[in-house]
Amino acid sequence: MFLLLVFFPLIIIGFWVNALTGVVLTMLAARSFFSNPDFYIKLTAIAGAIVSLLRLRASLFGGATPAATAPVPMKARIEAVAMLAFWAVAVTSGRLIAYSSSVRVQSAIAVTVAAFALLLARHIAARFSSVAEPHLAPVTPSASN
Amino acid sequence: MEVFLRYWTEWPAVAAFIDAHSWVWPLCETFHFFGIILLIGGVGIFDLRILGMAKGLPPASLKRLLPWGVFGFILCVVTGTIFVTGMRANVPSAPYDVIRSNIWLQLKLLLIALAGANLLAFYATGMSRAVDDLRAEDDAPMLAKAIAGASLFLWLGVIYFGRLIPEAL
């Protein structure tokens, strides 16, 4: 897990590419964006995602280097879920900005329902597969083949 | 042949459903985006490790991300099929004619096919197994790197051409 930090600069680059192009796109239609409540939902979600990312990084990597096999603390799991949820809201509201307000509300509800349905389906599928294979072998740099 | 393709690429029921419910199209767009994120996130991280980034992580451990990439691809195929077969709800032309005339859609489909062939090559050339056997600090074989580089290039190309499709509608 510690080694996954190598990808952190990539996250930062990706964020700034999106932020800078986003500022340009916003300036092209500033008036319609600033009067659109969806725009503020998107900005708030992005702020929430950044805060969760920083908290997640601090709680996972702030102290001593944990062992690669150490279980992830519950606090970090909650922050990771919060970050994913914030980005999902940012992506959804970003896409829906283009639509009229009644379509936005209906679509936001539809996206939420569909997302929960997919998560539920995954949960059920994971339960069945864990019944089928009770002992999942850990991935090791195999020397067996 | 043309009659056959014309018939199978246009599903009036899908177009009617999109027409009747204004949330269907934005819902599919949003899930198309989620699919792209899962696909490029899962596959891209694996490709970058094969190319030499994040040495210290055995590639096999990042291979666990690939099912998420596959799930993202399925989301994109399902929503993409809805976009094409229900196109009449937004555009006054038959999907068959759009597939034949829209160069960006054609390039996107071509790159998806090439990405599929690239994935087959990853398994058929034995590179998948070779990568599984790599230890944390090992360098991937040159062929595996070429396949990983092609994968990144092709999937980013798919996204680029996909974004251009509406420009030619």
Side-chain angles (χ1 to χ4, degrees), chain B residues 126-146:
Chain B
M127 282 302 112
S128 169
R129 202 172 294 175
V131 164
D132 282 347
D133 289 343
L134 293 178
R135 284 162 307 182
E137 296 297 333
D138 286 346
D139 213 21
M142 212 31 156
L143 181 57
K145 285 188 178 182

PDB file of all heavy atoms in Angstrom, chain B residues 126-146:
ATOM      1  N   GLY B 126       2.220 -14.987 -24.296  1.00  0.00           N
ATOM      2  CA  GLY B 126       2.773 -15.473 -23.035  1.00  0.00           C
ATOM      3  C   GLY B 126       3.232 -14.350 -22.116  1.00  0.00           C
ATOM      4  O   GLY B 126       3.787 -14.589 -21.043  1.00  0.00           O
ATOM      5  N   MET B 127       2.989 -13.091 -22.538  1.00  0.00           N
ATOM      6  CA  MET B 127       3.439 -11.955 -21.723  1.00  0.00           C
ATOM      7  C   MET B 127       2.680 -11.862 -20.401  1.00  0.00           C
ATOM      8  O   MET B 127       3.219 -11.440 -19.385  1.00  0.00           O
ATOM      9  CB  MET B 127       3.260 -10.635 -22.502  1.00  0.00           C
ATOM     10  CG  MET B 127       4.322 -10.393 -23.540  1.00  0.00           C
ATOM     11  SD  MET B 127       5.971 -10.378 -22.826  1.00  0.00           S
ATOM     12  CE  MET B 127       6.655 -11.833 -23.521  1.00  0.00           C
ATOM     13  N   SER B 128       1.413 -12.290 -20.436  1.00  0.00           N
ATOM     14  CA  SER B 128       0.619 -12.244 -19.201  1.00  0.00           C
ATOM     15  C   SER B 128       1.284 -13.099 -18.131  1.00  0.00           C
ATOM     16  O   SER B 128       1.468 -12.666 -16.985  1.00  0.00           O
ATOM     17  CB  SER B 128      -0.800 -12.740 -19.490  1.00  0.00           C
ATOM     18  OG  SER B 128      -1.488 -12.926 -18.284  1.00  0.00           O
ATOM     19  N   ARG B 129       1.682 -14.303 -18.519  1.00  0.00           N
ATOM     20  CA  ARG B 129       2.326 -15.202 -17.553  1.00  0.00           C
ATOM     21  C   ARG B 129       3.701 -14.668 -17.135  1.00  0.00           C
ATOM     22  O   ARG B 129       4.084 -14.733 -15.972  1.00  0.00           O
ATOM     23  CB  ARG B 129       2.455 -16.601 -18.166  1.00  0.00           C
ATOM     24  CG  ARG B 129       2.600 -17.665 -17.099  1.00  0.00           C
ATOM     25  CD  ARG B 129       2.535 -19.032 -17.695  1.00  0.00           C
ATOM     26  NE  ARG B 129       1.228 -19.344 -18.273  1.00  0.00           N
ATOM     27  CZ  ARG B 129       0.986 -20.467 -18.936  1.00  0.00           C
ATOM     28  NH1 ARG B 129       1.944 -21.352 -19.125  1.00  0.00           N
ATOM     29  NH2 ARG B 129      -0.214 -20.711 -19.399  1.00  0.00           N
ATOM     30  N   ALA B 130       4.409 -14.121 -18.130  1.00  0.00           N
ATOM     31  CA  ALA B 130       5.738 -13.579 -17.825  1.00  0.00           C
ATOM     32  C   ALA B 130       5.634 -12.438 -16.805  1.00  0.00           C
ATOM     33  O   ALA B 130       6.452 -12.325 -15.890  1.00  0.00           O
ATOM     34  CB  ALA B 130       6.395 -13.069 -19.112  1.00  0.00           C
ATOM     35  N   VAL B 131       4.593 -11.616 -16.953  1.00  0.00           N
ATOM     36  CA  VAL B 131       4.404 -10.488 -16.039  1.00  0.00           C
ATOM     37  C   VAL B 131       4.000 -10.984 -14.647  1.00  0.00           C
ATOM     38  O   VAL B 131       4.432 -10.442 -13.624  1.00  0.00           O
ATOM     39  CB  VAL B 131       3.358  -9.511 -16.630  1.00  0.00           C
ATOM     40  CG1 VAL B 131       2.841  -8.547 -15.581  1.00  0.00           C
ATOM     41  CG2 VAL B 131       3.958  -8.737 -17.798  1.00  0.00           C
ATOM     42  N   ASP B 132       3.191 -12.049 -14.625  1.00  0.00           N
ATOM     43  CA  ASP B 132       2.789 -12.635 -13.327  1.00  0.00           C
ATOM     44  C   ASP B 132       4.001 -13.101 -12.528  1.00  0.00           C
ATOM     45  O   ASP B 132       3.989 -13.078 -11.299  1.00  0.00           O
ATOM     46  CB  ASP B 132       1.875 -13.849 -13.548  1.00  0.00           C
ATOM     47  CG  ASP B 132       0.461 -13.428 -13.894  1.00  0.00           C
ATOM     48  OD1 ASP B 132       0.163 -12.234 -13.712  1.00  0.00           O
ATOM     49  OD2 ASP B 132      -0.325 -14.280 -14.336  1.00  0.00           O
ATOM     50  N   ASP B 133       5.019 -13.547 -13.236  1.00  0.00           N
ATOM     51  CA  ASP B 133       6.197 -14.107 -12.558  1.00  0.00           C
ATOM     52  C   ASP B 133       7.184 -13.039 -12.100  1.00  0.00           C
ATOM     53  O   ASP B 133       8.179 -13.361 -11.441  1.00  0.00           O
ATOM     54  CB  ASP B 133       6.919 -15.089 -13.499  1.00  0.00           C
ATOM     55  CG  ASP B 133       6.112 -16.357 -13.691  1.00  0.00           C
ATOM     56  OD1 ASP B 133       5.206 -16.583 -12.875  1.00  0.00           O
ATOM     57  OD2 ASP B 133       6.381 -17.103 -14.654  1.00  0.00           O
ATOM     58  N   LEU B 134       6.919 -11.790 -12.469  1.00  0.00           N
ATOM     59  CA  LEU B 134       7.877 -10.735 -12.109  1.00  0.00           C
ATOM     60  C   LEU B 134       7.834 -10.463 -10.612  1.00  0.00           C
ATOM     61  O   LEU B 134       6.769 -10.434 -10.006  1.00  0.00           O
ATOM     62  CB  LEU B 134       7.549  -9.441 -12.858  1.00  0.00           C
ATOM     63  CG  LEU B 134       7.725  -9.442 -14.367  1.00  0.00           C
ATOM     64  CD1 LEU B 134       7.317  -8.092 -14.931  1.00  0.00           C
ATOM     65  CD2 LEU B 134       9.165  -9.741 -14.742  1.00  0.00           C
ATOM     66  N   ARG B 135       9.021 -10.235 -10.050  1.00  0.00           N
ATOM     67  CA  ARG B 135       9.064  -9.821  -8.645  1.00  0.00           C
ATOM     68  C   ARG B 135       8.961  -8.299  -8.577  1.00  0.00           C
ATOM     69  O   ARG B 135       8.972  -7.617  -9.603  1.00  0.00           O
ATOM     70  CB  ARG B 135      10.372 -10.305  -8.013  1.00  0.00           C
ATOM     71  CG  ARG B 135      10.349 -11.802  -7.702  1.00  0.00           C
ATOM     72  CD  ARG B 135      11.733 -12.299  -7.499  1.00  0.00           C
ATOM     73  NE  ARG B 135      12.550 -11.926  -8.660  1.00  0.00           N
ATOM     74  CZ  ARG B 135      13.829 -12.244  -8.811  1.00  0.00           C
ATOM     75  NH1 ARG B 135      14.450 -12.923  -7.891  1.00  0.00           N
ATOM     76  NH2 ARG B 135      14.499 -11.881  -9.888  1.00  0.00           N
ATOM     77  N   ALA B 136       8.904  -7.814  -7.337  1.00  0.00           N
ATOM     78  CA  ALA B 136       8.607  -6.397  -7.125  1.00  0.00           C
ATOM     79  C   ALA B 136       9.545  -5.457  -7.892  1.00  0.00           C
ATOM     80  O   ALA B 136       9.104  -4.455  -8.460  1.00  0.00           O
ATOM     81  CB  ALA B 136       8.641  -6.087  -5.632  1.00  0.00           C
ATOM     82  N   GLU B 137      10.828  -5.781  -7.934  1.00  0.00           N
ATOM     83  CA  GLU B 137      11.785  -4.842  -8.532  1.00  0.00           C
ATOM     84  C   GLU B 137      12.085  -5.144 -10.000  1.00  0.00           C
ATOM     85  O   GLU B 137      12.852  -4.413 -10.630  1.00  0.00           O
ATOM     86  CB  GLU B 137      13.116  -4.877  -7.747  1.00  0.00           C
ATOM     87  CG  GLU B 137      13.011  -4.415  -6.305  1.00  0.00           C
ATOM     88  CD  GLU B 137      12.586  -2.942  -6.187  1.00  0.00           C
ATOM     89  OE1 GLU B 137      12.864  -2.181  -7.136  1.00  0.00           O
ATOM     90  OE2 GLU B 137      11.974  -2.589  -5.182  1.00  0.00           O
ATOM     91  N   ASP B 138      11.501  -6.222 -10.533  1.00  0.00           N
ATOM     92  CA  ASP B 138      11.862  -6.662 -11.888  1.00  0.00           C
ATOM     93  C   ASP B 138      11.358  -5.708 -12.967  1.00  0.00           C
ATOM     94  O   ASP B 138      10.315  -5.076 -12.825  1.00  0.00           O
ATOM     95  CB  ASP B 138      11.278  -8.055 -12.158  1.00  0.00           C
ATOM     96  CG  ASP B 138      12.036  -9.134 -11.419  1.00  0.00           C
ATOM     97  OD1 ASP B 138      13.142  -8.827 -10.933  1.00  0.00           O
ATOM     98  OD2 ASP B 138      11.521 -10.257 -11.316  1.00  0.00           O
ATOM     99  N   ASP B 139      12.124  -5.681 -14.053  1.00  0.00           N
ATOM    100  CA  ASP B 139      11.724  -4.954 -15.247  1.00  0.00           C
ATOM    101  C   ASP B 139      10.902  -5.904 -16.114  1.00  0.00           C
ATOM    102  O   ASP B 139      11.240  -7.082 -16.221  1.00  0.00           O
ATOM    103  CB  ASP B 139      13.011  -4.542 -15.982  1.00  0.00           C
ATOM    104  CG  ASP B 139      12.843  -3.221 -16.690  1.00  0.00           C
ATOM    105  OD1 ASP B 139      11.933  -2.461 -16.306  1.00  0.00           O
ATOM    106  OD2 ASP B 139      13.622  -2.957 -17.624  1.00  0.00           O
ATOM    107  N   ALA B 140       9.833  -5.394 -16.738  1.00  0.00           N
ATOM    108  CA  ALA B 140       9.007  -6.243 -17.600  1.00  0.00           C
ATOM    109  C   ALA B 140       9.729  -6.468 -18.932  1.00  0.00           C
ATOM    110  O   ALA B 140      10.534  -5.626 -19.343  1.00  0.00           O
ATOM    111  CB  ALA B 140       7.656  -5.581 -17.836  1.00  0.00           C
ATOM    112  N   PRO B 141       9.440  -7.596 -19.618  1.00  0.00           N
ATOM    113  CA  PRO B 141      10.036  -7.813 -20.942  1.00  0.00           C
ATOM    114  C   PRO B 141       9.624  -6.706 -21.915  1.00  0.00           C
ATOM    115  O   PRO B 141       8.572  -6.097 -21.752  1.00  0.00           O
ATOM    116  CB  PRO B 141       9.439  -9.155 -21.396  1.00  0.00           C
ATOM    117  CG  PRO B 141       8.865  -9.776 -20.190  1.00  0.00           C
ATOM    118  CD  PRO B 141       8.571  -8.696 -19.211  1.00  0.00           C
ATOM    119  N   MET B 142      10.491  -6.475 -22.920  1.00  0.00           N
ATOM    120  CA  MET B 142      10.246  -5.390 -23.879  1.00  0.00           C
ATOM    121  C   MET B 142       8.882  -5.529 -24.565  1.00  0.00           C
ATOM    122  O   MET B 142       8.170  -4.530 -24.750  1.00  0.00           O
ATOM    123  CB  MET B 142      11.368  -5.404 -24.931  1.00  0.00           C
ATOM    124  CG  MET B 142      11.712  -4.049 -25.469  1.00  0.00           C
ATOM    125  SD  MET B 142      11.433  -2.805 -24.220  1.00  0.00           S
ATOM    126  CE  MET B 142      12.449  -1.532 -24.661  1.00  0.00           C
ATOM    127  N   LEU B 143       8.515  -6.761 -24.928  1.00  0.00           N
ATOM    128  CA  LEU B 143       7.238  -6.962 -25.624  1.00  0.00           C
ATOM    129  C   LEU B 143       6.066  -6.575 -24.721  1.00  0.00           C
ATOM    130  O   LEU B 143       5.091  -5.954 -25.173  1.00  0.00           O
ATOM    131  CB  LEU B 143       7.114  -8.427 -26.069  1.00  0.00           C
ATOM    132  CG  LEU B 143       5.848  -8.783 -26.841  1.00  0.00           C
ATOM    133  CD1 LEU B 143       5.704  -7.913 -28.096  1.00  0.00           C
ATOM    134  CD2 LEU B 143       5.837 -10.263 -27.234  1.00  0.00           C
ATOM    135  N   ALA B 144       6.172  -6.928 -23.433  1.00  0.00           N
ATOM    136  CA  ALA B 144       5.101  -6.559 -22.491  1.00  0.00           C
ATOM    137  C   ALA B 144       4.998  -5.044 -22.389  1.00  0.00           C
ATOM    138  O   ALA B 144       3.895  -4.483 -22.338  1.00  0.00           O
ATOM    139  CB  ALA B 144       5.378  -7.165 -21.118  1.00  0.00           C
ATOM    140  N   LYS B 145       6.158  -4.363 -22.401  1.00  0.00           N
ATOM    141  CA  LYS B 145       6.148  -2.895 -22.338  1.00  0.00           C
ATOM    142  C   LYS B 145       5.493  -2.308 -23.588  1.00  0.00           C
ATOM    143  O   LYS B 145       4.734  -1.343 -23.507  1.00  0.00           O
ATOM    144  CB  LYS B 145       7.577  -2.361 -22.214  1.00  0.00           C
ATOM    145  CG  LYS B 145       8.161  -2.540 -20.840  1.00  0.00           C
ATOM    146  CD  LYS B 145       9.479  -1.820 -20.733  1.00  0.00           C
ATOM    147  CE  LYS B 145      10.027  -1.964 -19.329  1.00  0.00           C
ATOM    148  NZ  LYS B 145      11.268  -1.258 -19.139  1.00  0.00           N
ATOM    149  N   ALA B 146       5.807  -2.906 -24.740  1.00  0.00           N
ATOM    150  CA  ALA B 146       5.208  -2.408 -25.989  1.00  0.00           C
ATOM    151  C   ALA B 146       3.689  -2.573 -25.942  1.00  0.00           C
ATOM    152  O   ALA B 146       2.940  -1.664 -26.330  1.00  0.00           O
ATOM    153  CB  ALA B 146       5.792  -3.165 -27.180  1.00  0.00           C
TER     154      ALA B 146
END
